[in-house]
Amino acid sequence: MNESKKKSLPKEVEQLLRGVEKVVEESEFLEKLKLGRPLKVKLGVDPTSPDIHLGHTLGLTKLRQFQDFGHQAVLIIGDFTAMIGDPSGRSVTRPQLTHDQVMQHAATYRDQAMKILDPEKTIIRFNGEWFELMSFEDVIKLNSRVTLQQMLQREDFSLRLAKGHPIRAHEIQYPIMQGWDSVMIRADVELGGTDQLFNIMVGRNLQKEEGQPRQVGIFLPILEGTDGIQKMSKSLNNYIGVTEPPGEMFGKLMNISDSLMLRYYDLLLQESPPADTHPMVAKKELARRITARFHSQADAARALEEFERRFSARDLEAVSLPEFSLSEDSASDVVSIVCAAYARCFNINKSKSEVRRLLAQGSVRINGEKLSDPLAKPELPNGIVLRLDKTRAVRILRPS
RNA sequence: GGGUAGGUACCGAAGCGGCCAAACGGGGCGGACUGUAAAUCCGCUGGCUUAUGCCUUCAGUGGUUCGAAUCCACUCCUGCCCA
């Protein structure tokens, strides 16, 4: 190791461990860094859904940091593990996906991950590469190294056990497979959320048995979803996707609670919110910066401006809205119009009963006036704004 | 394979022949108040060309009954105990 490298090491360690919740084992990590070669840093992702959200970005951002220090990032796309679904933190068996579905997700997933990682310096491996080749005999051998008790100690399983909920045999394969990935790529470091503790430890054990140096587990905090309580996840619908349009991303961020905002500052920006600032102002800043990260400064500035006009000044007229064209002949009632607007402009299927409820409760408005009569056939001149609910409105377009 | 307890709406959970589209809680949604925050309050939460109306739902299929989520038979699924 040369002199300059030696000097920069403390800084490197400090940065790489910033925002990290736990390291197993820190001393081993320091030893590995002193080896003076690029470390193989593994991050596994399961393409169980086509989108990645802010929760995933914690791991990706950390991986990027490793890349920037010259380490080798290995992104494992768990095409085989995704078919099982990680049982971590789950109280029910995940629905099983076909390999085709998984591969479709994987493609979009990779693109999104590369928004954060350096594509030139990232090795991408699919774990199907090795699992596909294993015989049943190999699988049995692999399984013989782990005891059922170890598996069942995990909270998610023991809870299900206690509650009498089923645990299917394939689910306990998951940690074994994830661990085997580490063996196959000879990982030096594996990144993961704190909920990955068990899975990553299995990797360590398997590596040891294979005579490899054990990987170091670096555990990142779990990002709460927009509800502020549960882990951000697609299935709980409390996520902010990295490909969401700027306006939506900004809006979702503005909708979080103040206490969650502190958390997001901490985890996503790795800093504290500005002192002596109104929470709302701080939140706008958070929303702006995160939006800028996944879009552009200009997009973020526009999102902020639109937000202020729309929600602070309550000026729907001046804001860009989806356009809903109404054909001349259709003298439809409000219910059908609103229903169609939801469907065409927002891809949301609302039943007519549901729309009637919204009407009755005063959600639908024109010029701030509530339209509560479902049978009404209101005047809807060209260009007028039809408010559907708190966050959605359309501009009516009539062919002239 | 034997025994036993179960399978109810997004989730948990009542109901155990008519008053059941199904209590209650959670979640979600809408409204009021706000900072698209929190807290609070009110309302909604199967569908339908608003109808003291009709249709589809209580694992599935058949049956008993004027009438079934509720009773019977078989099937499928799950937990627990035994093998």
Side-chain angles (χ1 to χ4, degrees):
Chain A
M1 197 186 308
N2 60 40
E3 280 306 304
S4 65
K5 178 80 186 170
K6 228 177 223 168
K7 262 184 207 153
S8 65
L9 202 56
K11 191 183 156 217
E12 180 177 347
V13 173
E14 191 236 296
Q15 289 214 18
L16 289 178
L17 294 186
R18 183 193 292 161
V20 165
E21 186 101 356
K22 182 186 173 93
V23 182
V24 178
E25 295 284 333
E26 194 161 341
S27 56
E28 289 178 30
F29 183 52
L30 298 179
E31 286 306 311
K32 281 185 192 277
L33 284 175
K34 279 185 205 152
L35 293 174
R37 64 164 170 85
L39 299 179
K40 260 191 197 160
V41 185
K42 170 193 172 197
L43 178 70
V45 293
D46 264 2
T48 39
S49 83
D51 304 305
I52 68 177
H53 53 61
L54 294 184
H56 302 288
T57 66
L58 296 185
L60 289 167
T61 310
K62 184 54 73 182
L63 188 57
R64 172 65 197 237
Q65 243 178 353
F66 272 93
Q67 281 187 318
D68 292 341
F69 276 106
H71 296 290
Q72 178 60 61
V74 184
L75 189 69
I76 304 271
I77 306 235
D79 59 329
F80 259 55
T81 30
M83 290 191 286
I84 298 180
D86 187 356
S88 294
R90 285 241 147 193
S91 56
V92 286
T93 310
R94 284 175 179 264
Q96 298 212 350
L97 301 173
T98 65
H99 196 249
D100 277 352
Q101 287 173 309
V102 169
M103 292 310 275
Q104 276 175 19
H105 294 166
T108 63
Y109 224 90
R110 177 169 49 193
D111 294 343
Q112 295 173 45
M114 289 313 155
K115 283 189 167 190
I116 298 170
L117 297 176
D118 181 345
E120 303 288 301
K121 296 183 188 157
T122 307
I123 295 179
I124 295 180
R125 302 289 298 270
F126 288 79
N127 62 10
E129 289 172 35
W130 42 89
F131 286 126
E132 216 159 31
L133 300 176
M134 286 176 80
S135 69
F136 201 67
E137 189 183 349
D138 296 329
V139 175
I140 291 172
K141 268 193 197 155
L142 187 55
N143 270 288
S144 69
R145 302 179 179 197
V146 186
T147 72
L148 210 48
Q149 283 88 338
Q150 287 166 355
M151 295 293 158
L152 297 180
Q153 264 173 18
R154 314 171 34 148
E155 197 191 5
D156 28 66
F157 283 153
S158 60
L159 214 65
R160 277 157 78 175
L161 216 48
K163 283 194 170 178
H165 292 164
I167 298 168
R168 319 220 74 113
H170 74 282
E171 294 183 76
I172 63 174
Q173 294 296 301
Y174 191 95
I176 302 173
M177 291 170 78
Q178 182 172 335
W180 193 244
D181 290 344
S182 295
V183 171
M184 292 315 286
I185 67 157
R186 303 187 76 93
D188 293 302
V189 175
E190 175 160 4
L191 304 179
T194 48
D195 58 349
Q196 295 294 308
L197 183 65
F198 184 80
N199 297 349
I200 290 177
M201 296 312 266
V202 170
R204 269 169 71 85
N205 292 341
L206 290 176
Q207 283 176 312
K208 188 180 162 200
E209 291 198 24
E210 290 295 314
Q212 293 182 14
R214 296 188 297 182
Q215 65 181 359
V216 169
I218 294 190
F219 300 96
L220 299 158
I222 304 293
L223 187 73
E224 291 85 354
T226 49
D227 56 25
I229 299 162
Q230 291 187 273
K231 170 183 173 175
M232 185 176 284
S233 90
K234 173 119 183 178
S235 46
L236 293 170
N237 199 25
N238 62 0
Y239 70 103
I240 301 175
V242 302
T243 55
E244 291 190 46
E248 245 163 83
M249 185 180 277
F250 193 95
K252 280 191 182 183
L253 286 162
M254 285 308 288
N255 207 12
I256 62 175
S257 72
D258 289 354
S259 53
L260 186 61
M261 168 179 75
L262 301 181
R263 186 85 176 139
Y264 277 18
Y265 257 99
D266 188 30
L267 298 185
L268 292 169
L269 300 179
Q270 307 218 346
E271 56 187 73
S272 311
D276 299 325
T277 311
H278 190 287
M280 185 193 50
V281 175
K283 206 189 285 177
K284 280 180 184 169
E285 179 59 10
L286 172 85
R288 194 192 60 74
R289 284 175 59 186
I290 293 177
T291 306
R293 180 183 289 176
F294 297 103
H295 296 92
S296 67
Q297 291 290 347
D299 285 333
R302 205 171 309 125
L304 170 65
E305 197 188 318
E306 291 253 303
F307 178 88
E308 286 178 338
R309 235 188 268 150
R310 178 164 181 180
F311 295 107
S312 306
R314 293 170 207 275
D315 182 6
L316 280 175
E317 297 304 321
V319 152
S320 71
L321 294 170
E323 289 174 338
F324 179 70
S325 43
L326 214 68
S327 46
E328 203 54 66
D329 52 309
S330 71
S332 320
D333 55 302
V334 216
V335 174
S336 325
I337 293 172
V338 170
C339 223
Y342 267 114
R344 268 195 266 157
C345 299
F346 300 101
N347 232 335
I348 296 172
N349 282 320
K350 290 240 187 254
S351 72
K352 297 203 169 173
S353 305
E354 215 173 339
V355 169
R356 252 182 240 120
R357 269 177 232 133
L358 286 179
L359 255 339
Q361 301 193 119
S363 170
V364 180
R365 295 171 198 181
I366 290 175
N367 287 333
E369 266 183 59
K370 296 180 181 180
L371 286 176
S372 44
D373 179 7
L375 289 178
K377 293 183 181 174
E379 282 288 302
L380 290 171
N382 190 37
I384 201 166
V385 172
L386 177 67
R387 188 196 111 128
L388 302 178
D389 58 41
K390 260 196 288 208
T391 57
R392 283 174 277 257
V394 296
R395 197 179 303 281
I396 299 289
L397 213 62
R398 276 187 181 277
S400 44

